[in-house]
Amino acid sequence: MIQSSEKKKRTGFQECPVLGVGLGLRRPLVDETLTSTDLLDWVEVTPENYMGKGGRSQEILAQAKEVYPLVSHGVSLSIGSVDPWDSEYLRQFREFLDVAQSPWFSDHLCFSGVDGVYFHDLIPLPRTKETVAHCAARIRELRDRLEKPVLVENVSYYLRYPEDELSEADFVAEVIEQADCGLLLDVNNVYVNTQNHGGDPYAYFSRIPLERVVQIHTAGHHKYPEGLVDTHGSEVCEDVWTLLAWVLERSRPCGVMIERDTYIPAFEELKPEIQRLRQLWEATQGTTLRESEKPLADQQEALV
Amino acid sequence: MSPAMTLAERQKAMGTALLQAKGHLVLDTEDAWQQFAVKEADATFAFEGLDRKKLLLYESLIRGSMKETLLSIYPHTLKFFEGNQSGLTENYRRSNPSSSFKLSYATSALPEYLRGLTVDKPKSLYKPLFLELLKQYPFLPELAEYEWQEAAVALMPDQAIPEEFEPGIPDTVDEMSRWQPVWNLVRQINTFHYNIPGLVEQVSEMESVLKSSWDMPPVPCQMLFYRDPKTFKVRFFQLNDLTAAFLTAGEYAGSYQEIVETLHREQPSLRAIPVEALMGEVLKLLQMCFSQQILLGSVPVMPES
């Protein structure tokens, strides 16, 4: 386990432990992921893959929990929706959080359904003051109902609305400040958005409260005639590694991880990326070795 | 200049664009949906100031995940839609907006959707090519039903096991009154009018199914789908009348003995057999069910208070 002295001292997130380097748990790579404790400190799980399901899903969840701290990252909360909360979702989600013992949970700053119908995709919100107030109120309500720290993730978007009033960075910053929640900063999404819509990623980072970054995602994207699409289906590109290093040098997140959802390669092919991420993490944040892997002298010192 | 949309108005507009059935969908080829979507988007969104191409990108992302999920749950059924899988996905998606936050469950209505295609309706309501396929392969709705049941059983929540559970079954007639069965309830029983298990076996070995002729005379069969509690794999069991009646009686009766008595009372074909003889047959059936994990074990019969 992570030592308590390494917990963050950030207001509102004291209970969030520093986890280190993680990976999104995906079924094709479950076995290799669960035996790679030399590479990984934690795994991120998608609650919708386990909620209300039995059999192999629950077995995977139980096995993963034995090996790693689990962190919940959802895709269907539909934080920005004008629909009321899906009560069945919240019921099952709460049960899931109890089982997974996730120290915090996250979902996307978007909407994914309307009028009781799910899109099964992350649709961008109009960036208006009305949306900021709406999302902030919903996030605060979520935190109160689920009694855990909430993070929201900046999404990649491919569509702009004529009613947009705020830049993306200002919109994200306003929502998390008004909601008093954490940010799951997806560095690849910032890259994709600034490439597709123009803008400077460093200017983006300078406008968001980096002290609220609790978790960081990074991933690969694909280039299509329409622009870059955040597919999570390739290696992290060099530009994104550079941005990630810049962010890590200026923030104190609890965890950083790689997402890979499509064109999932053999685990061996992912290893160099995870190793690189660990080197970057350790160079900027220090080590987060598990208790059992710490040098004996350190353990004795901790006992004194 | 028209006033800016509110958040609620914008979300409803996006819902209309991305989800709602557009009425007379006739998408005959893989790229027909693209042409359709372009026209639709031009008409609907020009005045709202949205970039049509970007909207189409969202449509394609949504269709892509739905198609991938349909292919994972209905691999055999979709082989019959070779060259038309995107069209099928788009028609299905718009005709059956998802009310479940789980993408797998959003595909559960495919069997019903295919059954609907076989209903004689004005041609403009359904894609002519699909109607043709359904006429040629009338077993497709049942094939889809079979594949959905397999997925549904794989996803079912785990069964709670009672505290006094013993992983064994009676091996003497005497014990049959003192114990009651704990069935594997992660299961589903379905009746099919075609030999779908045989069809699945054949289709799974073929890369392209459309070149073959599929003359399948109706052959009714009753199937038990259940999840093996150790391997979590879904297993299939073809039921005859006796095993089907046995499982039904087993679900409602108390002790093993009561199952036998219920069967004897309610099954005309068994009435001629003395109860004692039937007990012996049932013991054999129990052994088989236990070895296949259709029956998980037993709990003692609770004395009546």
Side-chain angles (χ1 to χ4, degrees), chain A residues 39-276:
Chain A
L39 283 173
L40 297 166
D41 301 312
W42 59 284
V43 292
E44 186 189 78
V45 286
T46 307
E48 291 84 355
N49 290 344
Y50 305 93
M51 286 156 58
K53 296 179 181 174
R56 179 70 179 133
S57 296
Q58 291 307 313
E59 186 185 50
I60 290 172
L61 192 63
Q63 288 172 343
K65 195 178 150 189
E66 284 284 307
V67 181
Y68 294 115
L70 306 181
V71 173
S72 171
H73 178 55
V75 292
S76 298
L77 254 174
S78 203
I79 284 174
S81 178
V82 293
D83 277 1
W85 296 111
D86 181 334
S87 55
E88 184 55 21
Y89 182 100
L90 288 185
R91 188 189 66 75
Q92 291 188 24
F93 186 42
R94 197 183 176 106
E95 281 178 14
F96 169 82
L97 288 175
D98 287 346
V99 172
Q101 293 182 334
S102 177
W104 63 82
F105 68 91
S106 62
D107 207 306
H108 302 81
L109 187 52
C110 70
F111 73 111
S112 49
V114 68
D115 291 334
V117 173
Y118 283 89
F119 300 112
H120 299 291
D121 206 344
L122 310 171
I123 309 300
L125 290 159
R127 298 192 299 261
T128 64
K129 298 221 163 76
E130 180 199 4
T131 309
V132 168
H134 176 73
C135 290
R138 297 250 296 178
I139 294 164
R140 287 194 301 267
E141 188 189 343
L142 264 184
R143 182 183 51 216
D144 293 345
R145 287 175 73 159
L146 297 169
E147 299 169 294
K148 270 190 193 290
V150 189
L151 318 185
V152 291
E153 178 182 348
N154 57 302
V155 296
S156 51
Y157 68 97
Y158 313 106
L159 186 69
R160 293 165 112 162
Y161 301 112
E163 61 268 31
D164 286 344
E165 298 167 347
L166 301 165
S167 72
E168 195 213 343
D170 288 347
F171 175 68
V172 171
E174 281 283 311
V175 170
I176 58 174
E177 291 287 4
Q178 285 194 26
D180 189 20
C181 70
L183 176 62
L184 194 176
L185 178 63
D186 190 314
V187 175
N188 181 57
N189 286 349
V190 173
Y191 180 76
V192 165
N193 290 346
T194 50
Q195 286 287 308
N196 285 343
H197 304 288
D200 174 8
Y202 297 101
Y204 182 110
F205 295 138
S206 71
R207 296 188 76 86
I208 56 169
L210 288 177
E211 70 279 8
R212 286 191 180 270
V213 176
V214 179
Q215 187 184 332
I216 296 179
H217 273 172
T218 190
H221 52 258
H222 276 97
K223 194 168 187 173
Y224 292 98
E226 296 87 353
L228 302 185
V229 176
D230 175 39
T231 54
H232 299 179
S234 63
E235 287 182 353
V236 178
C237 75
E238 279 307 316
D239 285 349
V240 172
W241 279 114
T242 307
L243 292 177
L244 178 63
W246 192 94
V247 170
L248 280 172
E249 281 159 12
R250 291 160 179 80
S251 61
R252 296 289 291 165
C254 296
V256 62
M257 57 161 282
I258 293 174
E259 293 181 292
R260 191 71 187 249
D261 293 305
T262 58
Y263 305 104
I264 296 177
F267 193 80
E268 281 300 312
E269 285 179 46
L270 278 181
K271 273 186 177 177
E273 279 200 308
I274 301 170
Q275 280 159 343
R276 183 171 175 180

Side-chain angles (χ1 to χ4, degrees), chain A residues 51 53-55 59 76 80-82 89 92 115 117-121 124 130 158-163 226, chain B residues 7 10-12 14 19 48 50 54 58 61-62 97-98 100-103 106 155-158 227 232:
Chain A
M51 286 156 58
K53 296 179 181 174
E59 186 185 50
S76 298
S81 178
V82 293
Y89 182 100
Q92 291 188 24
D115 291 334
V117 173
Y118 283 89
F119 300 112
H120 299 291
D121 206 344
E130 180 199 4
Y158 313 106
L159 186 69
R160 293 165 112 162
Y161 301 112
E163 61 268 31
E226 296 87 353
Chain B
L7 179 60
R10 172 56 68 199
Q11 293 191 5
K12 279 191 192 299
M14 290 300 283
L19 291 170
E48 288 174 5
L50 290 182
K54 306 292 183 189
Y58 276 101
L61 291 172
I62 292 172
S98 168
S100 172
F101 56 83
K102 296 169 190 165
L103 187 50
L155 297 171
M156 274 183 185
D158 292 329
R227 192 168 72 212
F232 302 121

